[in-house]
């Protein structure tokens, strides 16, 4: 997906949402990054099904199964994402962590109206990168929180400037930028 | 009032001549099954870009395809007819659906435009809301697919 490279385009005029992009099975699954509290190795999951990290316990859940996706199974690239908001926390395995990406709101598309089933609760929409499409998991559904309309508004960042090769201090991951200009240049 | 009368007369004349006019239909095939659809329900044809799986519970709507900077949902017409697309090249039929543009994977054989006499069309004789009826093209009887409302009724039934 090419998220690990830095982008040449640095100026952002509007709002963006920062996502952690992961791979589950053959699908790129993006999660709003503000609720990502950590990324740990699968060995961190205890026999009791809990992951305890920074004195907080996260109940382990099967996100791939809940999304009806077939995971590749455990490999050297498998990671466990610690996801939480307030006192609600969950941990879940992903087949791979691609990285962080800031996506302009104009590039985030809702799930088309043709999708009429329960997937509308699970997925908020998608964004297209140069060579792939990431599906956005609904963070409220992931954490079993009451659903809300315009869920991504909670995560919108207003950025006036994006530094090249920026690193997210909290997650210690480089942040790529996906904006209309970079899509147009490389696509 | 005169204008209204003229308009009404015009409508009657159009309807009357419309019966005699042939209907423009597009004939295409999906996994070897030949189908017909009204031309006004088709937005275009492009090479099949490959589908991106979406974990979906909507019958036959389980993927997206890239189109320019966005994506289109895909209706799996082959699965609806319990067929499997053969290996090889495909085309993407872009449909003017009531919910927005929709993509359908069709066989690589380029769709053909046909003029079908309305007298050869039989409407609503099949028990499938996605099928408008039957028409005869070149001596072959083909189902007419309601592309604009494809999946709408079956989704409601399933929901």
């Amino acid at each position: 997906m090419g998220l690990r490279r830095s982008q040449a385009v640095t100026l952002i005029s509007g709002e963006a949402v920062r996502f952690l992009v992961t791979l589950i099975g053959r699908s790129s699954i993006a999660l709003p990054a503000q609720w990502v509290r950590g990324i740990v190795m699968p060995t961190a999951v205890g026999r009791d099904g809990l992951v305890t990290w920074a004195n907080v316990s996260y109940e382990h859940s099967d996100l791939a199964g809940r999304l009806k996706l077939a995971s590749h199974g455990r490999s050297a690239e498998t990671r466990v994402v610690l996801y939480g908001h307030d006192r609600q926390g969950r941990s879940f395995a992903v087949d791979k962590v691609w990285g962080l990406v800031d996506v302009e709101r104009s590039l985030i598309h809702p799930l088309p109206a043709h999708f009429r089933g329960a997937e509308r609760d699970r997925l908020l929409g998608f964004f297209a990168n140069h060579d792939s499409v990431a599906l956005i998991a609904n963070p409220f559904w992931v954490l079993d929180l009451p659903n809300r309309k315009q869920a991504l508004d909670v995560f919108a960042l207003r950025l006036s400037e994006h530094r090249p090769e920026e690193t997210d201090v909290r997650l210690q991951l480089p942040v790529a930028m996906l904006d209309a200009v970079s899509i147009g240049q490389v696509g | 009032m005169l204008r209204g009368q003229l308009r009404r007369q015009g409508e009657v004349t159009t309807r009357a001549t419309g019966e005699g006019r042939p209907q423009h239909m597009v004939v295409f095939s999906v996994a070897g099954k030949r189908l017909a659809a009204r031309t006004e329900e088709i937005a275009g044809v492009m090479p099949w870009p490959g589908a991106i799986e979406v974990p979906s519970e909507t019958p036959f709507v389980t993927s997206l395809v890239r189109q320019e900077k966005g994506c289109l949902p895909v209706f799996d017409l082959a699965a609806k007819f319990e067929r499997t697309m053969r290996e090889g090249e495909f085309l993407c039929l872009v449909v003017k659906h009531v919910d927005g543009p929709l993509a359908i994977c069709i066989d690589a054989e380029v769709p053909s435009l046909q003029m079908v006499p309305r007298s050869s069309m039989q409407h609503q004789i099949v028990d499938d809301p996605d099928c408008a009826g039957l028409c005869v093209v070149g001596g072959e009887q083909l189902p007419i697919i309601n592309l604009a409302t494809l999946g709408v009724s079956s989704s409601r039934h399933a929901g």
Side-chain angles (χ1 to χ4, degrees):
Chain A
M1 200 163 167
L3 295 175
R4 283 175 176 160
R5 66 172 180 260
S6 63
Q7 304 278 346
V9 178
T10 57
L11 291 175
I12 306 169
S13 55
E15 285 184 338
V17 178
R18 179 165 296 177
F19 292 100
L20 178 73
V21 184
T22 67
L23 186 71
I24 300 178
R26 289 182 300 167
S27 299
S28 290
I29 301 294
L31 298 144
Q34 272 169 268
W35 288 2
V36 177
R37 291 182 175 169
I39 299 166
V40 298
M41 298 298 286
T43 49
V45 182
R47 287 179 186 273
D48 53 2
L50 294 175
V51 180
T52 303
W53 195 74
N55 296 321
V56 178
S57 290
Y58 296 84
E59 186 186 330
H60 198 63
S61 63
D62 179 11
L63 184 64
R66 291 181 69 205
L67 283 169
K68 318 287 184 201
L69 290 170
S71 165
H72 288 320
R74 193 158 158 177
S75 75
E77 294 197 288
T78 303
R79 296 290 182 272
V80 172
V81 177
L82 309 179
Y83 208 65
H85 176 61
D86 287 342
R87 293 181 179 182
Q88 192 83 345
R90 291 278 188 281
S91 68
F92 47 84
V94 296
D95 292 332
K96 186 174 184 171
V97 169
W98 285 109
L100 293 169
V101 60
D102 288 347
V103 183
E104 267 193 14
R105 287 297 295 268
S106 62
L107 299 177
I108 298 172
H109 305 281
L111 206 60
H114 311 72
F115 291 94
R116 300 165 191 277
E119 66 274 13
R120 298 203 74 82
D121 296 330
R122 302 170 193 149
L123 300 170
L124 294 179
F126 64 91
F127 56 87
N129 198 347
H130 312 300
D131 49 8
S132 70
V133 171
L135 304 172
I136 302 168
N138 181 349
F140 293 88
W141 172 82
V142 170
L143 292 180
D144 288 322
L145 292 169
N147 217 342
R148 59 181 291 170
K149 290 182 178 176
Q150 308 297 327
L152 283 178
D153 287 351
V154 176
F155 304 96
L157 307 168
R158 185 150 196 94
L159 303 174
S160 57
E161 192 177 347
H162 178 81
R163 297 178 302 280
E165 299 178 26
E166 181 188 338
T167 296
D168 185 286
V169 177
R170 206 166 40 92
L171 298 174
Q172 293 296 306
L173 285 171
V175 183
M177 179 64 211
L178 188 64
D179 59 14
V181 179
S182 66
I183 288 271
Q185 281 178 342
V186 186
Chain B
M1 196 168 143
L2 184 60
R3 253 183 231 154
Q5 277 179 346
L6 283 172
R7 202 178 302 131
R8 276 196 295 278
Q9 278 175 358
E11 284 166 8
V12 170
T13 311
T14 308
R15 270 202 296 273
T17 53
E19 291 299 318
R21 269 187 314 173
Q23 168 76 51
H24 292 268
M25 304 291 283
V26 171
V27 175
F28 59 96
S29 66
V30 173
K33 185 178 177 69
R34 281 165 59 78
L35 303 162
R38 287 178 285 269
T39 50
E40 57 267 27
E41 295 181 346
I42 293 171
V45 180
M46 62 181 193
W48 180 250
I52 299 142
E53 181 189 358
V54 176
S56 163
E57 294 180 14
T58 306
F60 312 121
V61 185
T62 56
S63 59
L64 296 167
V65 288
R66 295 291 295 263
Q67 190 207 34
E68 296 170 356
K69 289 177 186 173
C71 288
L72 297 178
V74 178
F75 189 94
D76 191 348
L77 204 51
K80 177 183 166 61
F81 290 116
E82 296 176 339
R83 287 172 174 245
T84 306
M85 296 297 287
R86 279 164 277 184
E87 293 290 318
E89 299 287 308
F90 306 123
L91 291 174
C92 180
L93 190 70
V94 183
V95 170
K96 295 175 187 171
H97 194 271
V98 290
D99 290 328
L102 179 73
I104 296 172
C105 184
I106 64 172
D107 295 344
E109 182 189 339
V110 177
S112 63
L113 186 62
Q114 303 282 345
M115 307 259 271
V116 179
R118 286 173 196 263
S119 57
S120 77
M121 297 172 69
Q122 297 169 278
H123 291 281
Q124 293 174 341
I125 57 162
V126 282
D127 186 24
D128 181 350
D130 292 331
C131 196
L134 299 166
C135 68
V136 177
V137 177
E140 183 185 11
Q141 197 171 54
L142 301 176
I144 303 168
I145 299 297
N146 277 326
L147 293 178
T149 55
L150 200 54
V152 172
S153 300
S154 52
S155 287
R156 286 203 183 117
H157 292 157

